[in-house]
Amino acid sequence: MKLIFAGTPVFAAKALEALLAAGHEIALVLTQPDRPAGRGMKLKPSPVKELALQHGLRVEQPLTLKTPEAQALVSEVGAEVMVVAAYGLLLPKVVLDMPARGCLNIHASLLPRWRGAAPIQRAILAGDAETGITIMQMDVGLDTGDMLSVHPLAISASDTAASLHDKLAVLGAEAIVSTLAVLDSCQPTVQPEDGVTYAAKLSKEEARVDWTLPAADIARAIRAYNPAPGAHTLLAGEPLKLWFAEALDGQGAPGEVLRADADGVVVGSGHGLVRITELQAAGSKRLAAREFAAGRSALAGTVLGA
């Protein structure tokens, strides 16, 4: 098919790569403007732009799709479908109606659960047993369009937002290719009213660990906020980031470090224990518990968060 592709991060680049490999004509790529990044804060192109330029594709980076100029970019292509994946810009109705067969979104949840900005992290936080990819016909609502295909994926007890993102990126790429291949016979399904949840944008403040919560909730939160915004607490008044954890049976005062050894830093909570196996002190790099504990002989008995 003749497609327009709109996307920005690695999640979207995986889909673009798959569409190219499947032989689709990508007549136009839309992506976010280059952003400052790194220590030098130099402008850096998005992963989608980098991939598109490697393949000699036309790339446009409008600040908005609400202007006549930006809308002309879409209309003049005469695309059959626009594929959208984590683009980051609102598509007004006039743009949604431009491709002959509309706009399809690669959404990283099993709709109608987790509509919105952070479906991967919210699924882990909630303790969901599975998530997945929904290929959706876009409309003007927030992830409210009819579903064309649904592709479930189990969430493992060891998944972080980073690992689940990578799995879903691969699944999303496969899903959009397979859905386009049978688009003529797809029967759109209206999303049910029951089970609608919203995946609100993440904040740094919510990623601060509340040690009075049950250990299972804390461990899920630490995994859900990896890599961003990063679960954090205080150690002797200094910031401490926590990157991986699991819940254990047992009991200890909330935030108290019961032991710190090669197996992990074990901390009390409102119910159960949290074993943290990867940590990062301020001004340091991420360390396995073995390395972190080796330089801190007096860690046991301290209280995190104080």
Side-chain angles (χ1 to χ4, degrees), residues 154-203:
I155 300 176
S156 80
S158 62
D159 269 324
T160 63
S163 67
L164 193 55
H165 166 279
D166 292 350
K167 294 175 186 178
L168 287 167
V170 172
L171 182 60
E174 296 170 350
I176 189 61
V177 170
S178 64
T179 302
L180 288 174
V182 296
L183 192 58
D184 289 337
S185 59
C186 274
Q187 296 296 318
T189 301
V190 177
Q191 292 187 38
E193 294 293 330
D194 292 338
V196 174
T197 54
Y198 291 93
K201 187 177 179 180
L202 301 173
S203 69

Side-chain angles (χ1 to χ4, degrees), residues 54-278:
Q54 289 171 16
H55 287 271
L57 303 178
R58 177 187 174 192
V59 177
E60 298 288 349
Q61 299 172 273
L63 293 172
T64 177
L65 291 177
K66 296 180 179 180
T67 66
E69 294 79 11
Q71 291 167 12
L73 296 174
V74 177
S75 63
E76 68 189 19
V77 170
E80 293 177 75
V81 173
M82 182 191 293
V83 173
V84 181
Y87 178 30
L89 287 185
L90 177 69
L91 273 61
K93 188 176 188 305
V94 63
V95 172
L96 291 171
D97 292 342
M98 282 177 179
R101 305 178 73 171
C103 301
L104 305 187
N105 180 243
I106 307 171
H107 184 75
S109 83
L110 300 178
L111 291 170
R113 188 158 177 78
W114 303 128
R115 295 174 179 173
I120 296 174
Q121 295 90 342
R122 297 299 175 193
I124 295 175
L125 280 168
D128 290 0
E130 67 174 4
T131 182
I133 293 290
T134 303
I135 304 299
M136 176 193 68
Q137 189 87 47
M138 296 179 71
D139 60 18
V140 293
L142 176 63
D143 300 327
T144 55
D146 292 351
M147 301 180 292
L148 298 180
S149 65
V150 178
H151 309 260
L153 176 70
I155 300 176
S156 80
S158 62
D159 269 324
T160 63
S163 67
L164 193 55
H165 166 279
D166 292 350
K167 294 175 186 178
L168 287 167
V170 172
L171 182 60
E174 296 170 350
I176 189 61
V177 170
S178 64
T179 302
L180 288 174
V182 296
L183 192 58
D184 289 337
S185 59
C186 274
Q187 296 296 318
T189 301
V190 177
Q191 292 187 38
E193 294 293 330
D194 292 338
V196 174
T197 54
Y198 291 93
K201 187 177 179 180
L202 301 173
S203 69
K204 185 175 181 180
E205 180 55 35
E206 74 173 288
R208 182 172 182 173
V209 176
D210 179 354
W211 295 105
T212 65
L213 293 175
D217 292 356
I218 294 172
R220 283 199 304 270
I222 290 170
R223 296 194 301 270
Y225 297 130
N226 177 354
H232 57 96
T233 189
L234 295 174
L235 171 60
E238 294 295 320
L240 178 67
K241 282 199 170 182
L242 313 175
W243 294 110
F244 193 87
E246 59 185 339
L248 303 175
D249 292 332
Q251 195 60 44
E256 182 183 359
V257 178
L258 302 181
R259 63 180 184 272
D261 52 35
D263 291 330
V265 177
V266 177
V267 185
S269 73
H271 179 76
L273 303 175
V274 181
R275 179 163 61 195
I276 308 161
T277 54
E278 190 175 4

